[in-house]
Structures are given as C-alpha cells and as structure tokens.
Amino acid sequence: MNTLRRDDASAAEFRDALVDQLLTNGMITSPVVERAFRTVPRHLFVAEGTPLEATYTLDQSVPIKRDPGGVVISSTSAAYIQARMIEQAELGPGMSVLEIGSGGYNAALLAEVVGEGGRVVSVDIDPEVTDRARELLEATGYGSRVTVVLADAGNPLPGLHEPFDAILVTVGAWDLAPAWLEHLSEGGRIVVPLRMNGITRVIGFRRQGDHLLSTSAEVAGFVPMQGGGAHDERVFLLPDRNGHHVKLRFDDGAPAEMNLLDGVLATDRTEVWSGVTIKHGVSFADLHLWFAAFLPGFCKLAVDEGTDMAAERKTWFPFGVVRGDSFAYLAVRPVPEGGGVEFGARAYGPHGEAAATAMVEQIRAWDRRARHLEPAFAYWPTGSQRPEFGEDTAVLTKTHGLVTISWPPAADAVTGQGAPHNPTTAHTPA
C-alpha cells in the first residue's frame, strides 16, 4: 500500500514499468512526454492509501470525488489517455496550455512537457477540486509552474489575455464553448472528449481559420462536464412483467411518443441478422460511432438484473434504436465455423422486425462504406463558412455550432469480412 506522501524507490519502479508499457503500446511517442511521465509522481496526486498497483495501472482511472449518489464527478484519468491527449496536443518546451478540469497530476505532466519557459493554467468549477489541486501541486514542487483558477470554463476567463497554443479538456463535453475558441491561438490545438449522440471520442482538433479540423481521435470515456456546458441524457424506463426495467438513454433526439413502448417487453422477440462478421478480439468501436451518426432513434441501453436481456448479456451490446412502438438492440451470434461472430439485431414490439432491420441496414452500410477506415471530424462554430456536406458526412447540431463526422468514399476500398445478403428473421419467446 502507498501510505507515505513522498516519492520512493518502490513508487519509481512502478512508475517506470507503467511508462515502459505506454511506450511499448505506442501511447507515448515523444521523448518529452516520456520524461514527464517518468518524472511526475502520480501516486502523490491520488487518495492517500491507494495501492501503487492501482495508481500505476495502464487503463484505470482513480476517483477523486463522488456526488452524494456515489457517482464519480472528478477523477485522475487513466494513464494511457493522459499520455495520448498530451501527444495529441503536440506540446513542447516553451508552449502555453490551458487545462479545463483540474486534478493536479495532469497539470504537473503538462508543466514538465512545456518546461520552465512554458505556461500552464488549470481551471475547474469545483472549489474542493481546485483547492486540492493547488495543495498537491505545491507539495510536489509544481505550485509556481501551474496557475489553478476556480471558474466555469464555459465562460471567458478573466485576466487571460494571451491566447494559448493548446487547450486540453479533461472532462466529457457535449459541445465546444465559444470561450475556448476565444482562448485558442490561430493554428492552435484543442483536445476534447466530445460526446456525439452518446458516443465519445477524444478528438485532437487544429484550428484552421474559422473552424476546427481533426488530426487524431482516441476511444475513451470521461466524467461529464459540470456548469454551463453540462448536457443531461434523457432516460426512459421500460418495465418487464416481473417489475424489472430496461433503460433507454438518449443523448439527443429522443422520440416524442415514448409512451408507444408501453408493454413492449411483453411482446415476442424478433431477430434479424446481417451476414456481416468479425473475428474475436477485433474492435468495432467505429460501428457504434456510425450508429450515432446515421441511425435515427439511436440510444444506449442498460438493464436491471432479472430481465431476459440480462440473462443473455454476453450476446448483446448496449446500443439500440427506437422505431415508434418497437425497439431493437445490437446483438451477435457465433459464426458456424468458429473464430468470430455475426452482427445482428434483436427487437421487441409489434414492428420489431422493422426496427431490427433498420439497425441491420446500418451495420451493412458501415461494413460497405466505413469499415477499416478512419473517420475525420470537424467543428463548425455558429457563423463559420460551411461547405456542402456529402452523403458520407454526418452532421450533428450542437448549441454553438455543428460537428461533422466524415468517412472517405469507401465502396471500392473496403474489403469487409462479411458480404451483405438478405436478412434472416427468427421469432423467439420473449
């Protein structure tokens, strides 16, 4: 256990092992970021008593603060995404960086990367978080190198007149605040965990004239933003015959007549299969993003223990679609010859087959037009000059502008593992 608030040989050993992993996995790619991660004592920024094994793990965040309901509202992010975000920002000695969302550790890393000649400002809306960050930065020797500000970063920050070379947003954002762009230099970079219809990507944007174009993107999750930039999901509960619930969570575009789904879990279940397959262990995170971009009625699902869906948890994923009085959700089944699974959709409701077919059509479209290709993102603030967007570009409306997600024309370039064919449909008892 780590019970001493100091750096020692055992902590340094854990720290070096973590950095070696980050290098091996390509999450750290520059010497200046490597040196920062080998230097800053991560264990001195987490709760006292946190085991070194938990502190220096590759992919686990460490909670800092929870709300009265136990939900984490501030945390030290997983080491891998901290490394990737700093690399995405393309920071170096002498540069200036604004961090939105404080904790202390990440700000100390940034101070090491930009050096004595650089500038780091860290902002948070929660006074408990900023007080803690100041105390820890002072205790670890970074107090004079990081300016911690208590403020809602959704508003312009007083006294910050010089633009920043980079902005790192370390909380989940539904939109980009105009104030952030006011603080960003021409050609500057902003790295932000951006929520797009419920799906988050940590996007590295570069400012180009009146808009932002992506240079990189990573898959990760973050605690949501508080204050003026907060955006709550809408959650609907569907009861089953035993009083358990399926929860449908809409980030945007919740159907107006959700009452049409009353009693839907008492109907027979329908299955539609796509013919699109994937091998075990291969990520299909961009399929979720494709749904968020092109599947009207898209939502995320959660289920209570005791529901029929909970019993089949290993064969479905928490992404769904609502169509009137019916809903469908992403499912898989084994490929007969082994070595992979086939994508499909299971559905409930009088028109469950239509809902499942709508999802399957988008699985096939992803396989045909986007699989194996990296999407590009752009942010177009209100008032910017926007081009005509083609059929391979999804346009998501935000409060202060538009987000676009674009895939290159791909019909001839993609060689998916499963060729589309006519769907197969089966009815099973609910």
Side-chain angles (χ1 to χ4, degrees), residues 190-219:
I190 181 168
V191 183
V192 55
L194 185 60
R195 201 165 87 223
M196 297 164 287
N197 203 8
I199 303 299
T200 297
R201 291 292 180 271
V202 181
I203 304 175
F205 286 110
R206 181 183 294 274
R207 186 169 197 159
Q208 184 165 315
D210 64 359
H211 61 283
L212 304 173
L213 297 178
S214 67
T215 57
S216 60
E218 301 286 343
V219 178

Side-chain angles (χ1 to χ4, degrees), residues 290 294 365-371 373 391-392 407-408 410-411 414:
W290 181 273
F294 292 116
W366 166 78
D367 182 56
R368 185 174 64 251
R369 295 164 50 191
R371 192 171 181 171
L373 298 175
E391 66 174 6
D392 292 298
W407 282 264
V414 175

Side-chain angles (χ1 to χ4, degrees), residues 248-261:
L248 305 185
R249 298 162 45 204
F250 292 87
D251 191 60
D252 292 298
E257 297 182 291
M258 288 297 294
N259 61 297
L260 294 177
L261 291 175

Side-chain angles (χ1 to χ4, degrees), residues 45 321 383:
F45 290 88
V321 61

Side-chain angles (χ1 to χ4, degrees), residues 45 61-67 70-77 101-104 124-126 128-130 132-133 170-171 222-224 226:
F45 290 88
S61 62
V62 183
I64 292 176
K65 183 178 179 180
R66 299 177 184 268
D67 69 12
V71 176
V72 175
I73 57 175
S74 180
S75 67
T76 299
S77 298
S102 293
D124 201 280
I125 196 173
D126 189 330
E128 290 184 14
V129 171
T130 54
R132 181 181 185 276
T170 62
V171 289
F222 278 77
V223 296
Q226 302 177 62

